[in-house]
Amino acid sequence: LSRGSGLKQVTVHERTKSVLIRYEGDREAVIDALKSFHFSDEENETFVPEHTNREINREFEDKLFARIAFRFVRRYLFPKPLRILFSGMGVSRFVRKGFRSMRGGKLKVEALDAVAVTASFLRKDYNTTGSIMFLLNVGSLLEEWTHKKSMRDLAESMSLNIAKVWKMNGDTEELVPITDIQENDLISVRSGSLIPLDGLVEDGEAMVNQAAMTGESLAVRKSRGVTVYAGTAIEEGNLKIRVTSAPGGTRYEKIMHMIESTEKLKSGLEMRASALADRLVPYSFAGTILTFLLTRNVTRAISVLMVDFSCALKLSMPISVLSAMREAGNHRITVKGGRILEAVAEAKTIVFDKTGTLTKACPKVADVVAFQGREKKEMLRLAACLEEHFPHSIANAVVNEALEQGLDHEEMHSEVKYIVAHGIASSVDGEDVVIGSHHFVFEDEGCQIPQGEEERFETLDPKYSHLYLAIGKLLAAVIYIEDPLREEATSVVGGLREAGFDRIVMMTGDSKRTAEAVASAVGVDLCYSEVLPEDKAAFIDKEHEEGRKVIMVGDGINDSPALSASDAGIAISEGAQIAREVADVVISEDNLEELLILRRLSSALMKRISGNYRFVIGFNMGLILLGAGGILQPGTSAMLHNLSTNALVVKSMTNLM
């Protein structure tokens, strides 16, 4: 429904089977849209996401309501003997958990909880016993709910969004919707692209980055007969893959398993808070015993026992992070873990690629200069035919210009080979064809300028970036690429400097002349031109040796090694698939201002976590001292402790900005 014109927001309330529509304009048009809607419409099916949070939200809403309702009924409607019986059953469950937690020979929070509820029960303080168990159970339920929901949200953001794939039809390749692919179909995947479906390699050889599936940073060699998985990315080489699972297979479940089984997504502050909560348990026991020995007062000792640091520390920290990730999503920023937000907050160096990052994400073809008397349109047609296999901002510019000029380009070349950060090589009618940078075409491939046209070559317009096309070792055309600077680039660089970055760097494979012009315009601190992918990664490694955290911002295939090497790799959503897959953060909004929002959000998150940490330690330590001094009774101590925990959790769920 929300696809209709004039509809601002559509909200479905499943339980009451109603739809709330906010709209502008004609009311009758909205009613007509409702009348014409049918669940059986196949077109609507394409807009239904494969996985949503509706089911999990309903499950936990029901559980939470049932717990609250049962608590009310038990406390106010059950007779006292029955209340005691249910309290005893609940205590026995906590005791079993406590004993299980001690099997490794360590005192954990579960043991502290067990002793606290048992002590209250033995003192016949059944109201306090019930309150403590209720709050602990609700806290556990909320933690499980937020954890599962966040994992699903994160998996959804990391899931594939591939609409079309190259299907082999005999010896030719055909671009078809992924929904048309069936098991046993043969597909072609090239360097820099994601593998869209699980399958077996039937032909070719490639280095495949499986970090999104296994967490391994090093690419793995894949050749004939080896299984490859959807969502992994080809760094080098080409593969022909026999599909073994149709679209909508197990990619989502694999991501869920990967996220749940890894600790790398947790921030250092989260892990330290969790470890501290467990380390403080023995001290809570020691404080209880010491209070009893000094005062000989059981009530004071139990008041100390009622307070622990675990609930607040273990619950508020991850919820703060998850809330920040949700808030980032509201700004169309996908963040793949709390560790990333911590790195963004602490980084002092930020490295930018130029093309598609500091410059606009969609450069355009300004003109084509043909050599050897060739036709401009034919050269553009051939360039588009080669470039459409390897999505990058410049490749997209060539393909789009051909489309705008109505130049159809059927496959007229043999196998296409991509050389990262250099160019493309193939053959047409038995002649070698290459397209790419000056270094690739003239130095690596040894191509020559046609005799008598040297002067035309020397007078090429310097204000454009140049894409060189050579046929049969002779230059055939130079394509002028107009790569205008983003309007916000200069202000963003200034904003980043104010936000605490003291080293802002631009690294590009473009010529020194082009790079220096852009660097001067935006005001970066350092500029490196004509660099290779490994040069970017080496620079980041050098920064790490100096003890500096580094953010890398890029959009292309050649940025993926640097995105992997950085503490936080940020990809622009319009860039290459492999860049988005390898990156830790994906900015969906076509605006670099999102970088400033991400920095402010990350810094605010770190302040919130530190503030929560100080509050938990200070407030609970105060409760312990007041309990030991006999000022607070056990029930009051438990109530204040649990109320403060819940209040902190609610605060942690609020927006940071």
Side-chain angles (χ1 to χ4, degrees), residues 214-232:
T214 65
E216 300 174 51
S217 58
L218 296 177
V220 179
R221 180 177 172 273
K222 300 285 184 179
S223 56
R224 181 179 173 84
V226 176
T227 300
V228 290
Y229 299 101
T232 55

Side-chain angles (χ1 to χ4, degrees), residues 43-283:
E43 184 185 352
N44 290 329
E45 286 296 319
T46 62
F47 295 95
V48 179
E50 188 178 350
H51 301 275
T52 73
N53 281 321
R54 289 185 181 185
E55 185 180 353
I56 195 170
N57 284 344
R58 173 171 283 190
E59 176 192 345
F60 279 94
E61 284 168 4
D62 289 345
K63 285 182 179 179
L64 185 61
F65 177 79
R67 289 225 169 132
I68 294 171
F70 184 66
R71 167 70 176 160
F72 177 85
V73 170
R74 189 175 69 186
R75 180 160 186 175
Y76 295 105
L77 301 180
F78 281 14
K80 187 173 182 180
L82 198 54
R83 291 204 304 272
I84 294 171
L85 176 63
F86 274 101
S87 292
M89 291 167 59
V91 169
S92 67
R93 286 194 293 270
F94 275 92
V95 169
R96 286 197 299 274
K97 278 186 188 177
F99 275 117
R100 280 200 299 269
S101 73
M102 294 170 64
R103 284 176 183 170
K106 290 184 178 179
L107 283 173
K108 292 188 177 179
V109 174
E110 289 80 3
L112 191 65
D113 294 339
V115 173
V117 295
T118 302
S120 295
F121 186 77
L122 292 176
R123 292 183 68 250
K124 300 183 180 180
D125 188 353
Y126 303 122
N127 283 337
T128 300
T129 304
S131 296
I132 293 172
M133 290 191 295
F134 171 72
L135 287 167
L136 287 173
N137 286 329
V138 167
S140 177
L141 183 68
L142 287 173
E143 185 172 10
E144 184 184 1
W145 187 357
T146 52
H147 173 76
K148 284 190 175 181
K149 185 179 182 301
S150 66
M151 293 304 101
R152 287 188 177 231
D153 287 342
L154 192 52
E156 185 66 28
S157 71
M158 295 170 70
S159 292
L160 304 180
N161 291 301
I162 298 175
K164 294 187 176 183
V165 297
W166 289 98
K167 179 183 176 182
M168 297 302 300
N169 188 2
D171 292 332
T172 62
E173 297 178 6
E174 182 183 1
L175 193 62
V176 301
I178 192 170
T179 51
D180 291 353
I181 299 295
Q182 305 293 326
E183 286 189 30
N184 294 319
D185 281 349
L186 190 64
I187 61 173
S188 175
V189 187
R190 303 185 184 282
S191 178
S193 297
L194 295 186
I195 295 173
L197 299 161
D198 292 354
L200 285 172
V201 177
E202 191 156 301
D203 189 27
E205 186 175 319
M207 297 301 291
V208 177
N209 187 313
Q210 301 186 130
M213 197 66 67
T214 65
E216 300 174 51
S217 58
L218 296 177
V220 179
R221 180 177 172 273
K222 300 285 184 179
S223 56
R224 181 179 173 84
V226 176
T227 300
V228 290
Y229 299 101
T232 55
I234 297 181
E235 289 189 352
E236 295 179 50
N238 306 313
L239 295 176
K240 289 183 173 60
I241 300 166
R242 183 71 63 183
V243 175
T244 57
S245 70
T250 58
R251 156 74 171 169
Y252 181 89
E253 285 72 22
K254 288 172 186 171
I255 292 176
M256 286 285 290
H257 177 73
M258 184 272 290
I259 293 171
E260 289 172 352
S261 63
T262 183
E263 290 293 313
K264 72 173 184 175
L265 296 176
K266 288 189 176 181
S267 71
L269 281 173
E270 277 183 274
M271 297 177 73
R272 288 195 292 274
S274 180
L276 177 65
D278 285 332
R279 284 203 306 272
L280 288 173
V281 173
Y283 294 101

Side-chain angles (χ1 to χ4, degrees), residues 272-294:
R272 288 195 292 274
S274 180
L276 177 65
D278 285 332
R279 284 203 306 272
L280 288 173
V281 173
Y283 294 101
S284 294
F285 276 116
T288 302
I289 295 168
L290 183 62
T291 300
F292 177 73
L293 292 176
L294 292 175

Side-chain angles (χ1 to χ4, degrees), residues 89 252 408 432 460 478 488 619:
M89 291 167 59
Y252 181 89
D408 294 327
D432 291 336
L460 289 171
V478 175
E488 75 277 10
F619 186 82

Side-chain angles (χ1 to χ4, degrees), residues 5-6 34 67 104 113 154 218 339 352 397 399 447 451 461 473 486 489 528 553 581 636:
S5 60
L34 275 172
R67 289 225 169 132
D113 294 339
L154 192 52
L218 296 177
R339 174 185 64 82
F352 286 94
V399 173
C447 297
Q451 192 171 3
D461 196 331
K473 299 294 183 181
R486 288 180 182 269
Y528 296 90
V553 187
E581 187 70 11
T636 307

